[in-house]
Coordinates of all heavy atoms in Angstrom, one line a residue:
M1 N 0.8 -1.2 0.0 CA 0.0 0.1 0.0 C 0.9 1.2 -0.1 O 1.9 1.3 0.8 CB -0.9 0.0 1.2 CG -1.6 1.3 1.4 SD -2.9 1.3 2.8 CE -2.2 0.3 4.0
I2 N 0.5 2.2 -0.9 CA 1.3 3.5 -1.0 C 0.4 4.7 -0.7 O -0.8 4.6 -1.0 CB 2.0 3.5 -2.4 CG1 2.8 2.4 -2.7 CG2 2.5 4.9 -2.6 CD1 3.3 2.3 -4.1
N3 N 0.9 5.6 0.1 CA 0.1 6.9 0.3 C 0.4 7.9 -0.8 O 1.6 8.1 -1.1 CB 0.4 7.4 1.7 CG 0.2 6.4 2.7 OD1 -0.7 5.5 2.6 ND2 0.8 6.5 3.8
Y4 N -0.6 8.5 -1.4 CA -0.3 9.5 -2.4 C -1.0 10.8 -2.0 O -2.2 10.7 -1.5 CB -1.0 9.1 -3.8 CG -0.3 8.0 -4.5 CD1 -0.8 6.7 -4.4 CD2 0.9 8.2 -5.2 CE1 -0.1 5.5 -4.9 CE2 1.5 7.1 -5.9 CZ 0.9 5.9 -5.7 OH 1.6 4.8 -6.4
L5 N -0.3 11.9 -2.0 CA -1.0 13.2 -1.9 C -1.3 13.7 -3.3 O -0.4 13.9 -4.2 CB 0.1 14.2 -1.3 CG -0.5 15.6 -1.1 CD1 -1.8 15.7 -0.3 CD2 0.6 16.5 -0.6
L6 N -2.7 13.8 -3.5 CA -3.2 14.1 -4.8 C -2.9 15.6 -5.2 O -3.0 16.5 -4.4 CB -4.6 13.8 -5.0 CG -5.0 12.4 -5.0 CD1 -6.4 12.2 -5.1 CD2 -4.2 11.6 -6.0
D7 N -2.4 15.9 -6.5 CA -2.4 17.2 -7.0 C -3.7 17.8 -7.3 O -4.7 17.0 -7.7 CB -1.5 17.1 -8.3 CG -1.3 18.5 -8.8 OD1 -0.4 19.1 -8.3 OD2 -2.0 18.9 -9.7
T8 N -3.9 19.1 -7.0 CA -5.1 19.8 -7.2 C -5.7 19.6 -8.6 O -6.8 19.5 -8.9 CB -5.0 21.2 -6.8 OG1 -4.5 21.4 -5.5 CG2 -6.4 22.1 -6.9
N9 N -4.8 19.5 -9.6 CA -5.2 19.4 -11.0 C -6.1 18.2 -11.2 O -7.0 18.2 -11.9 CB -4.0 19.4 -12.0 CG -3.5 20.8 -12.1 OD1 -4.2 21.7 -12.3 ND2 -2.2 20.9 -11.9
L10 N -5.7 17.0 -10.5 CA -6.5 15.8 -10.5 C -7.9 16.0 -10.0 O -8.8 15.6 -10.6 CB -5.7 14.7 -9.8 CG -4.4 14.2 -10.5 CD1 -3.8 13.1 -9.6 CD2 -4.7 13.6 -11.9
L11 N -8.0 16.6 -8.9 CA -9.3 17.1 -8.3 C -10.2 17.8 -9.3 O -11.5 17.6 -9.5 CB -9.1 17.6 -7.0 CG -8.4 16.9 -5.9 CD1 -8.2 17.8 -4.7 CD2 -9.1 15.6 -5.6
I12 N -9.5 18.8 -9.9 CA -10.3 19.6 -10.8 C -10.8 18.8 -12.0 O -11.9 18.9 -12.4 CB -9.4 20.8 -11.3 CG1 -9.3 21.8 -10.2 CG2 -10.2 21.6 -12.5 CD1 -8.2 22.9 -10.4
R13 N -9.9 18.0 -12.6 CA -10.3 17.2 -13.7 C -11.4 16.2 -13.4 O -12.3 16.0 -14.1 CB -9.1 16.3 -14.3 CG -8.0 17.1 -14.7 CD -8.2 18.0 -15.9 NE -7.1 18.8 -16.4 CZ -6.5 19.8 -15.7 NH1 -6.9 20.3 -14.6 NH2 -5.5 20.5 -16.3
L14 N -11.3 15.7 -12.1 CA -12.3 14.7 -11.7 C -13.7 15.4 -11.6 O -14.8 14.8 -11.7 CB -12.0 14.2 -10.3 CG -12.7 13.0 -9.7 CD1 -12.6 11.8 -10.6 CD2 -12.2 12.8 -8.4
R15 N -13.8 16.6 -11.2 CA -15.1 17.3 -11.0 C -15.6 18.2 -12.2 O -16.6 18.7 -12.3 CB -15.1 18.3 -9.8 CG -14.6 17.6 -8.4 CD -15.5 16.5 -8.1 NE -16.9 16.9 -8.0 CZ -17.8 16.0 -7.8 NH1 -17.7 14.7 -7.8 NH2 -19.0 16.5 -7.6
D16 N -14.7 18.4 -13.3 CA -15.1 19.0 -14.4 C -15.7 18.2 -15.5 O -14.9 17.4 -16.2 CB -13.8 19.8 -15.0 CG -14.1 20.6 -16.3 OD1 -15.2 20.9 -16.6 OD2 -13.1 21.1 -16.8
N17 N -16.9 18.2 -15.7 CA -17.6 17.3 -16.6 C -17.1 17.6 -18.0 O -17.4 16.7 -19.0 CB -19.1 17.5 -16.6 CG -19.6 17.0 -15.2 OD1 -19.1 16.0 -14.6 ND2 -20.8 17.6 -14.7
T18 N -16.6 18.8 -18.4 CA -16.2 19.1 -19.8 C -14.7 18.7 -20.1 O -14.3 18.8 -21.2 CB -16.4 20.5 -20.1 OG1 -15.5 21.4 -19.2 CG2 -17.8 21.0 -19.9
S19 N -14.1 18.3 -19.0 CA -12.6 17.9 -19.2 C -12.4 16.6 -20.1 O -12.9 15.6 -19.8 CB -11.8 17.8 -17.9 OG -10.6 17.3 -18.0
P20 N -11.6 16.7 -21.1 CA -11.3 15.6 -21.9 C -10.5 14.5 -21.0 O -10.4 13.4 -21.4 CB -10.5 16.0 -23.2 CG -10.0 17.4 -22.7 CD -10.9 17.9 -21.7
D21 N -9.9 15.0 -20.0 CA -9.1 14.1 -19.1 C -9.9 13.5 -18.0 O -9.3 12.7 -17.2 CB -7.9 14.8 -18.6 CG -7.0 15.3 -19.7 OD1 -6.8 14.6 -20.7 OD2 -6.4 16.4 -19.5
R22 N -11.1 13.8 -17.9 CA -11.9 13.2 -16.7 C -12.0 11.6 -16.7 O -11.7 11.2 -15.6 CB -13.3 13.9 -16.8 CG -14.2 13.3 -15.6 CD -15.4 13.9 -15.6 NE -16.2 13.3 -14.2 CZ -17.2 13.8 -13.8 NH1 -17.8 14.8 -14.4 NH2 -17.6 13.2 -12.7
A23 N -12.3 11.1 -17.7 CA -12.3 9.6 -17.8 C -11.0 9.0 -17.3 O -11.1 8.0 -16.5 CB -12.8 9.0 -19.1
L24 N -9.9 9.5 -17.9 CA -8.5 8.9 -17.6 C -8.2 9.2 -16.1 O -7.7 8.3 -15.4 CB -7.4 9.7 -18.4 CG -6.1 9.3 -18.2 CD1 -5.9 7.7 -18.5 CD2 -5.1 10.1 -19.1
T25 N -8.6 10.4 -15.6 CA -8.4 10.7 -14.2 C -9.2 9.7 -13.2 O -8.6 9.3 -12.3 CB -8.8 12.2 -13.9 OG1 -8.0 13.0 -14.6 CG2 -8.6 12.5 -12.4
E26 N -10.5 9.6 -13.6 CA -11.3 8.5 -12.8 C -10.7 7.2 -12.8 O -10.6 6.5 -11.8 CB -12.7 8.6 -13.5 CG -13.5 9.7 -13.2 CD -14.9 9.7 -13.7 OE1 -15.1 8.9 -14.8 OE2 -15.8 10.5 -13.4
Q27 N -10.3 6.8 -14.0 CA -9.7 5.4 -14.1 C -8.4 5.3 -13.3 O -8.3 4.2 -12.7 CB -9.3 5.0 -15.5 CG -10.6 4.9 -16.5 CD -10.1 4.8 -18.0 OE1 -9.0 4.8 -18.3 NE2 -11.2 4.9 -18.8
A28 N -7.5 6.3 -13.3 CA -6.3 6.3 -12.6 C -6.6 6.2 -11.1 O -5.9 5.4 -10.3 CB -5.4 7.4 -13.0
I29 N -7.6 7.0 -10.6 CA -7.7 7.0 -9.2 C -8.4 5.8 -8.8 O -8.0 5.2 -7.8 CB -8.7 8.3 -8.9 CG1 -7.9 9.6 -9.0 CG2 -9.5 8.1 -7.5 CD1 -8.7 10.9 -8.9
L30 N -9.4 5.3 -9.4 CA -10.0 4.1 -9.1 C -9.0 2.8 -9.1 O -9.0 1.9 -8.3 CB -11.2 3.7 -10.1 CG -12.4 4.6 -9.8 CD1 -13.5 4.3 -10.9 CD2 -13.0 4.4 -8.4
K31 N -8.0 2.8 -10.1 CA -7.0 1.8 -10.1 C -6.2 1.8 -8.9 O -5.9 0.7 -8.3 CB -6.2 1.9 -11.4 CG -5.2 0.9 -11.6 CD -4.4 1.1 -12.9 CE -3.4 -0.1 -13.1 NZ -2.7 0.1 -14.4
L32 N -5.8 2.9 -8.4 CA -5.0 3.1 -7.2 C -5.8 2.6 -6.0 O -5.3 2.0 -5.1 CB -4.5 4.5 -7.0 CG -3.5 4.9 -8.0 CD1 -3.2 6.5 -7.9 CD2 -2.2 4.2 -7.9
R33 N -7.1 3.0 -5.9 CA -7.9 2.6 -4.8 C -8.1 1.1 -4.8 O -8.1 0.5 -3.7 CB -9.3 3.3 -4.8 CG -9.2 4.8 -4.5 CD -8.6 5.1 -3.1 NE -9.5 4.7 -2.2 CZ -9.2 4.2 -1.0 NH1 -8.0 3.9 -0.6 NH2 -10.1 3.8 -0.2
V34 N -8.3 0.5 -5.9 CA -8.5 -0.9 -5.9 C -7.3 -1.7 -5.5 O -7.5 -2.7 -4.8 CB -8.9 -1.4 -7.4 CG1 -8.8 -2.9 -7.6 CG2 -10.4 -1.0 -7.7
K35 N -6.1 -1.1 -5.8 CA -4.9 -1.7 -5.3 C -4.8 -1.7 -3.7 O -3.8 -2.2 -3.2 CB -3.6 -1.0 -6.0 CG -3.5 -1.5 -7.3 CD -2.3 -0.7 -7.9 CE -1.2 -0.3 -7.2 NZ -0.2 0.4 -7.8
G36 N -5.5 -0.7 -3.1 CA -5.5 -0.5 -1.7 C -4.6 0.7 -1.3 O -4.5 0.9 -0.2
D37 N -4.2 1.5 -2.3 CA -3.4 2.7 -2.0 C -4.3 3.8 -1.3 O -5.5 3.8 -1.7 CB -2.7 3.2 -3.3 CG -1.7 2.3 -3.8 OD1 -1.2 1.5 -3.1 OD2 -1.4 2.4 -5.0
L38 N -3.7 4.6 -0.6 CA -4.4 5.7 0.0 C -4.2 7.0 -0.7 O -3.1 7.4 -1.0 CB -4.0 5.8 1.6 CG -4.3 4.7 2.4 CD1 -3.7 5.0 3.9 CD2 -5.8 4.5 2.4
L39 N -5.2 7.7 -1.0 CA -5.2 8.9 -1.8 C -5.6 10.0 -0.9 O -6.7 10.0 -0.3 CB -6.1 8.9 -3.0 CG -6.0 7.7 -3.9 CD1 -7.0 7.7 -5.0 CD2 -4.6 7.5 -4.5
C40 N -4.7 10.9 -0.6 CA -5.0 12.0 0.4 C -5.1 13.3 -0.3 O -4.5 13.6 -1.3 CB -3.6 12.0 1.3 SG -3.2 10.5 2.2
I41 N -5.9 14.1 0.3 CA -6.1 15.5 0.0 C -5.9 16.4 1.2 O -6.2 15.9 2.3 CB -7.5 15.8 -0.7 CG1 -8.7 15.6 0.2 CG2 -7.5 15.0 -2.1 CD1 -10.1 16.0 -0.4
T42 N -5.6 17.7 1.1 CA -5.4 18.6 2.2 C -6.3 19.8 2.0 O -6.8 20.0 1.0 CB -4.0 19.0 2.2 OG1 -3.6 19.8 1.2 CG2 -2.9 17.8 2.3
T43 N -6.4 20.5 3.1 CA -7.0 21.8 2.9 C -6.5 22.7 1.9 O -7.2 23.3 1.2 CB -7.0 22.6 4.4 OG1 -7.4 21.7 5.3 CG2 -7.7 23.9 4.3
Q44 N -5.1 22.6 1.7 CA -4.5 23.3 0.7 C -5.1 22.9 -0.8 O -5.3 23.8 -1.6 CB -3.0 23.1 0.6 CG -2.2 24.0 -0.4 CD -2.3 25.5 -0.1 OE1 -2.4 25.9 0.9 NE2 -2.2 26.2 -1.3
N45 N -5.3 21.7 -1.0 CA -5.9 21.2 -2.3 C -7.2 22.0 -2.5 O -7.5 22.4 -3.5 CB -6.2 19.8 -2.2 CG -5.0 18.9 -2.4 OD1 -4.7 18.1 -1.5 ND2 -4.2 19.1 -3.4
L46 N -8.1 22.1 -1.4 CA -9.3 22.6 -1.5 C -9.3 24.1 -1.8 O -10.1 24.7 -2.6 CB -10.3 22.3 -0.3 CG -10.4 20.8 0.0 CD1 -11.1 20.6 1.4 CD2 -11.0 20.0 -1.1
I47 N -8.3 24.8 -1.2 CA -8.2 26.3 -1.4 C -7.7 26.5 -2.8 O -8.2 27.3 -3.5 CB -7.1 26.8 -0.4 CG1 -7.7 26.7 1.0 CG2 -6.6 28.2 -0.8 CD1 -6.7 27.0 2.1
E48 N -6.7 25.6 -3.3 CA -6.3 25.8 -4.7 C -7.4 25.5 -5.7 O -7.5 26.2 -6.7 CB -5.1 24.8 -4.9 CG -3.9 25.2 -4.2 CD -2.8 24.2 -4.3 OE1 -3.0 23.2 -4.9 OE2 -1.7 24.5 -3.8
F49 N -8.2 24.5 -5.5 CA -9.3 24.1 -6.2 C -10.3 25.3 -6.4 O -10.6 25.7 -7.5 CB -10.1 22.9 -5.6 CG -11.2 22.4 -6.4 CD1 -11.1 21.3 -7.2 CD2 -12.4 23.1 -6.4 CE1 -12.2 20.8 -7.9 CE2 -13.6 22.5 -7.1 CZ -13.4 21.5 -7.8
W50 N -10.6 25.9 -5.3 CA -11.6 27.0 -5.3 C -11.0 28.2 -6.1 O -11.6 28.8 -6.9 CB -11.9 27.5 -3.8 CG -12.8 28.5 -3.8 CD1 -12.6 29.9 -3.8 CD2 -14.3 28.4 -3.6 NE1 -13.9 30.6 -3.6 CE2 -14.8 29.7 -3.7 CE3 -15.1 27.4 -3.5 CZ2 -16.2 29.9 -3.4 CZ3 -16.4 27.5 -3.4 CH2 -16.9 28.8 -3.4
A51 N -9.6 28.4 -5.9 CA -9.0 29.5 -6.5 C -9.0 29.5 -8.0 O -9.3 30.3 -8.8 CB -7.6 29.8 -6.1
V52 N -8.7 28.2 -8.5 CA -8.7 27.9 -10.0 C -10.1 27.9 -10.7 O -10.2 28.5 -11.7 CB -7.9 26.6 -10.3 CG1 -8.1 26.2 -11.7 CG2 -6.4 26.8 -9.8
V53 N -10.9 27.3 -10.0 CA -12.2 27.1 -10.7 C -13.1 28.4 -10.7 O -13.9 28.6 -11.5 CB -13.1 25.9 -10.2 CG1 -12.3 24.7 -10.4 CG2 -13.5 26.1 -8.8
T54 N -12.9 29.3 -9.7 CA -13.5 30.6 -9.7 C -12.9 31.7 -10.5 O -13.4 32.7 -10.6 CB -13.9 30.9 -8.2 OG1 -12.7 31.1 -7.5 CG2 -14.8 30.0 -7.5
R55 N -11.6 31.5 -10.7 CA -10.8 32.5 -11.5 C -11.5 32.7 -12.9 O -11.8 31.7 -13.6 CB -9.4 32.1 -11.6 CG -8.4 33.1 -12.2 CD -7.1 32.7 -12.4 NE -6.6 32.1 -11.2 CZ -5.8 30.9 -11.1 NH1 -5.4 30.2 -12.3 NH2 -5.3 30.4 -10.0
P56 N -11.5 33.9 -13.4 CA -12.1 34.1 -14.8 C -11.3 33.4 -15.8 O -10.1 33.2 -15.7 CB -11.9 35.6 -14.9 CG -12.0 36.2 -13.5 CD -11.3 35.1 -12.8
T57 N -12.0 33.1 -16.9 CA -11.4 32.3 -18.0 C -10.3 33.1 -18.7 O -9.4 32.5 -19.1 CB -12.4 31.8 -18.9 OG1 -13.1 32.9 -19.5 CG2 -13.3 30.7 -18.4
N58 N -10.4 34.4 -18.8 CA -9.4 35.2 -19.3 C -8.2 35.3 -18.6 O -7.2 35.9 -19.1 CB -10.0 36.7 -19.7 CG -10.3 37.4 -18.4 OD1 -10.5 36.9 -17.3 ND2 -10.3 38.7 -18.6
V59 N -8.2 34.8 -17.4 CA -6.8 34.7 -16.6 C -6.5 33.3 -16.2 O -6.1 33.0 -15.2 CB -6.8 35.8 -15.6 CG1 -6.6 37.1 -16.0 CG2 -8.0 35.6 -14.6
N60 N -6.7 32.4 -17.2 CA -6.4 30.9 -17.0 C -7.2 30.3 -15.9 O -6.6 29.4 -15.2 CB -4.9 30.8 -16.8 CG -4.5 29.4 -17.3 OD1 -5.0 28.7 -18.0 ND2 -3.3 29.0 -16.6
G61 N -8.4 30.7 -15.8 CA -9.3 30.0 -14.7 C -10.5 29.2 -15.4 O -10.5 29.1 -16.7
Y62 N -11.3 28.7 -14.7 CA -12.5 28.1 -15.2 C -13.8 29.0 -15.3 O -14.7 28.6 -15.9 CB -12.8 26.7 -14.4 CG -11.9 25.6 -14.7 CD1 -10.5 25.7 -14.4 CD2 -12.3 24.5 -15.5 CE1 -9.7 24.6 -14.7 CE2 -11.5 23.5 -15.8 CZ -10.1 23.6 -15.5 OH -9.3 22.5 -15.7
G63 N -13.8 30.0 -14.5 CA -14.9 30.9 -14.6 C -16.2 30.4 -13.9 O -17.3 30.9 -14.3
W64 N -16.0 29.4 -13.1 CA -17.2 28.9 -12.4 C -17.8 29.9 -11.4 O -17.0 30.7 -10.8 CB -17.0 27.6 -11.6 CG -16.6 26.4 -12.6 CD1 -16.5 26.4 -13.8 CD2 -16.3 25.2 -12.1 NE1 -16.2 25.1 -14.2 CE2 -15.9 24.3 -13.2 CE3 -16.1 24.6 -10.7 CZ2 -15.6 23.0 -13.0 CZ3 -15.7 23.3 -10.7 CH2 -15.5 22.5 -11.8
T65 N -19.1 29.9 -11.2 CA -19.7 30.7 -10.1 C -19.3 30.1 -8.7 O -19.0 29.0 -8.7 CB -21.3 30.8 -10.2 OG1 -21.7 29.4 -9.9 CG2 -21.7 31.3 -11.7
T66 N -19.4 30.9 -7.7 CA -19.2 30.4 -6.4 C -20.2 29.2 -6.0 O -19.7 28.4 -5.3 CB -19.2 31.6 -5.4 OG1 -20.5 32.2 -5.4 CG2 -18.1 32.5 -5.6
Q67 N -21.3 29.4 -6.5 CA -22.3 28.3 -6.2 C -21.9 27.0 -7.0 O -22.0 25.8 -6.3 CB -23.7 28.7 -6.7 CG -24.4 29.8 -5.9 CD -23.9 31.2 -6.5 OE1 -23.2 31.4 -7.5 NE2 -24.3 32.3 -5.7
Q68 N -21.4 27.0 -8.2 CA -20.9 25.9 -8.8 C -19.7 25.3 -8.2 O -19.7 24.1 -8.0 CB -20.6 26.2 -10.4 CG -20.3 25.1 -11.1 CD -19.9 25.4 -12.5 OE1 -19.9 26.6 -13.0 NE2 -19.7 24.3 -13.4
A69 N -18.8 26.2 -7.8 CA -17.6 25.7 -7.2 C -17.9 25.1 -5.9 O -17.4 24.0 -5.6 CB -16.6 26.9 -6.9
A70 N -18.9 25.6 -5.1 CA -19.2 25.1 -3.8 C -19.8 23.6 -4.0 O -19.6 22.7 -3.2 CB -20.1 26.0 -3.1
A71 N -20.7 23.5 -5.0 CA -21.4 22.3 -5.3 C -20.3 21.2 -5.6 O -20.6 20.0 -5.3 CB -22.5 22.4 -6.4
E72 N -19.3 21.5 -6.5 CA -18.4 20.6 -6.9 C -17.3 20.3 -5.9 O -16.8 19.2 -5.8 CB -17.7 21.2 -8.1 CG -18.6 21.2 -9.4 CD -19.2 19.9 -9.7 OE1 -18.5 18.8 -9.5 OE2 -20.2 20.0 -10.3
I73 N -17.0 21.2 -4.9 CA -15.9 21.0 -3.9 C -16.6 20.3 -2.7 O -15.8 19.6 -2.0 CB -15.4 22.3 -3.6 CG1 -13.9 22.0 -3.0 CG2 -16.1 23.1 -2.5 CD1 -13.0 23.3 -2.8
Q74 N -17.8 20.5 -2.4 CA -18.5 20.0 -1.2 C -18.4 18.4 -0.9 O -17.9 18.0 0.1 CB -20.0 20.4 -1.2 CG -20.6 20.0 0.1 CD -21.1 18.6 0.1 OE1 -21.5 18.0 -0.9 NE2 -21.4 18.0 1.3
P75 N -18.5 17.7 -2.0 CA -18.3 16.2 -1.7 C -16.8 15.7 -1.7 O -16.6 14.6 -1.2 CB -18.9 15.5 -2.9 CG -19.1 16.6 -4.0 CD -18.9 17.9 -3.4
L76 N -15.8 16.5 -2.0 CA -14.4 15.9 -2.0 C -13.9 15.5 -0.7 O -13.4 14.4 -0.5 CB -13.6 17.1 -2.6 CG -13.7 17.3 -4.1 CD1 -12.8 18.4 -4.5 CD2 -13.4 16.0 -4.8
P77 N -14.1 16.4 0.5 CA -13.5 15.9 1.7 C -14.1 14.7 2.2 O -13.5 13.9 3.1 CB -13.8 17.1 2.6 CG -13.9 18.2 1.7 CD -14.5 17.7 0.5
T78 N -15.4 14.3 1.9 CA -16.1 13.2 2.5 C -16.1 12.0 1.5 O -16.6 11.0 1.8 CB -17.5 13.6 3.0 OG1 -18.1 14.1 1.8 CG2 -17.4 14.6 4.0
S79 N -15.5 12.1 0.4 CA -15.5 11.1 -0.7 C -14.9 9.9 -0.2 O -13.9 9.9 0.4 CB -15.0 11.7 -2.0 OG -14.8 10.5 -2.9
R80 N -15.5 8.7 -0.4 CA -14.8 7.5 -0.1 C -13.6 7.2 -0.9 O -12.8 6.2 -0.5 CB -15.8 6.3 -0.1 CG -17.0 6.4 0.8 CD -17.9 5.2 0.6 NE -17.2 4.1 0.8 CZ -17.4 3.2 1.8 NH1 -18.2 3.5 2.7 NH2 -16.6 2.1 1.9
L81 N -13.3 8.0 -1.9 CA -12.1 7.7 -2.8 C -10.8 8.3 -2.1 O -9.8 7.9 -2.4 CB -12.3 8.5 -4.1 CG -13.2 7.9 -5.1 CD1 -13.3 8.8 -6.3 CD2 -12.8 6.5 -5.5
F82 N -11.0 9.3 -1.2 CA -9.9 10.0 -0.6 C -9.9 9.9 1.0 O -11.1 9.7 1.5 CB -9.8 11.5 -0.9 CG -10.1 11.7 -2.5 CD1 -11.3 12.3 -2.8 CD2 -9.2 11.3 -3.4 CE1 -11.5 12.6 -4.2 CE2 -9.5 11.5 -4.7 CZ -10.5 12.2 -5.1
I83 N -8.8 10.1 1.5 CA -8.8 10.5 2.9 C -8.3 11.8 3.1 O -7.4 12.4 2.2 CB -8.0 9.5 3.8 CG1 -6.5 9.6 3.5 CG2 -8.5 8.1 3.7 CD1 -5.6 8.9 4.5
Q84 N -8.7 12.6 4.0 CA -8.3 14.0 4.1 C -7.2 13.9 5.2 O -7.2 13.4 6.3 CB -9.3 15.0 4.7 CG -8.8 16.3 4.6 CD -10.0 17.3 4.5 OE1 -11.1 17.0 4.7 NE2 -9.7 18.6 4.6
A85 N -6.0 14.4 4.7 CA -4.8 14.4 5.5 C -5.0 15.2 6.8 O -5.6 16.3 6.7 CB -3.5 14.8 4.7
M86 N -4.6 14.7 7.9 CA -4.8 15.4 9.1 C -3.7 16.5 9.2 O -2.6 16.4 8.7 CB -4.4 14.5 10.3 CG -5.4 13.3 10.3 SD -7.1 13.7 10.6 CE -7.1 14.2 12.3
E87 N -4.1 17.7 9.7 CA -3.2 18.8 9.8 C -2.9 19.0 11.3 O -3.9 19.1 12.1 CB -3.7 20.0 9.3 CG -3.9 19.8 7.8 CD -4.5 21.1 7.1 OE1 -4.4 22.1 7.6 OE2 -4.9 21.0 5.9
Y88 N -1.6 18.9 11.8 CA -1.3 19.0 13.2 C -0.6 20.2 13.4 O 0.1 20.7 12.7 CB -0.4 17.7 13.5 CG -1.1 16.4 13.3 CD1 -0.8 15.7 12.1 CD2 -1.8 15.8 14.2 CE1 -1.4 14.5 11.9 CE2 -2.4 14.7 14.0 CZ -2.2 14.0 12.8 OH -2.8 12.7 12.6
D89 N -0.8 20.8 14.7 CA 0.0 22.0 15.2 C 1.3 21.4 15.6 O 2.3 22.2 15.4 CB -0.7 22.5 16.4 CG -2.0 23.2 16.0 OD1 -2.1 23.6 14.9 OD2 -2.9 23.3 17.0
D90 N 1.4 20.2 16.0 CA 2.7 19.5 16.4 C 3.4 18.8 15.2 O 2.8 17.8 14.8 CB 2.5 18.6 17.6 CG 3.8 17.8 18.0 OD1 4.9 18.1 17.6 OD2 3.6 17.1 19.0
E91 N 4.5 19.3 14.6 CA 5.1 18.7 13.5 C 5.5 17.3 13.7 O 5.7 16.5 12.8 CB 6.2 19.6 13.0 CG 5.9 20.8 12.4 CD 7.0 21.6 11.8 OE1 8.1 21.0 11.5 OE2 6.9 22.8 11.6
S92 N 5.8 16.8 15.0 CA 6.0 15.5 15.3 C 5.0 14.5 14.8 O 5.2 13.3 14.6 CB 6.5 15.2 16.7 OG 5.3 15.5 17.5
Q93 N 3.7 14.9 14.7 CA 2.6 14.2 14.3 C 2.4 14.2 12.8 O 1.6 13.3 12.3 CB 1.3 14.6 15.0 CG 1.4 14.5 16.5 CD 1.6 13.0 16.9 OE1 0.8 12.2 16.4 NE2 2.5 12.7 17.8
A94 N 3.0 15.0 12.0 CA 2.9 15.2 10.7 C 3.3 13.8 10.0 O 4.2 13.2 10.3 CB 3.7 16.2 10.0
G95 N 2.6 13.5 9.0 CA 2.7 12.2 8.2 C 2.2 10.9 8.8 O 2.2 9.9 8.2
K96 N 1.6 11.1 10.0 CA 1.0 9.9 10.6 C -0.5 9.8 10.1 O -1.2 10.9 10.3 CB 1.1 9.9 12.1 CG 2.5 9.7 12.6 CD 2.6 9.8 14.1 CE 4.1 9.7 14.5 NZ 4.2 9.7 15.9
L97 N -0.9 8.8 9.6 CA -2.3 8.7 9.2 C -3.3 8.4 10.4 O -2.8 7.6 11.3 CB -2.5 7.6 8.1 CG -1.7 7.9 6.9 CD1 -1.7 6.8 5.8 CD2 -2.4 9.2 6.2
P98 N -4.5 9.0 10.3 CA -5.5 8.5 11.4 C -5.8 7.1 11.3 O -5.8 6.5 10.1 CB -6.6 9.4 11.0 CG -6.5 9.8 9.7 CD -5.0 9.8 9.3
K99 N -6.1 6.4 12.4 CA -6.6 5.0 12.3 C -8.0 4.9 11.6 O -8.8 5.8 11.8 CB -6.6 4.5 13.8 CG -5.3 4.3 14.3 CD -5.4 3.8 15.7 CE -4.0 3.6 16.4 NZ -4.0 3.0 17.6
Q100 N -8.0 4.0 10.8 CA -9.4 3.8 10.1 C -10.2 2.7 10.8 O -9.9 1.8 11.4 CB -9.1 3.4 8.7 CG -8.5 4.5 7.9 CD -8.2 4.2 6.5 OE1 -8.6 3.1 6.0 NE2 -7.8 5.1 5.7

């Protein structure tokens, strides 16, 4: 079993119905989950997701409304596909996964 910290671009492709890479992204994520690998997301991923999808298209964003962004981001932290990495005040705890 391997732990992966997912890149925000993968999360965006996964939630963007118009992305030509969506199916490939879904297949890759499901393949890793079937193998038993852990796919982690962090608060930083969610912040980056919001920033990119709500940025206007003329400045390399997606131009989504805040309502659309909220609807697409809401299921990510609770999705069974991912675990949300714990954020600790004490750095000695960083990198330790919560018990499942």
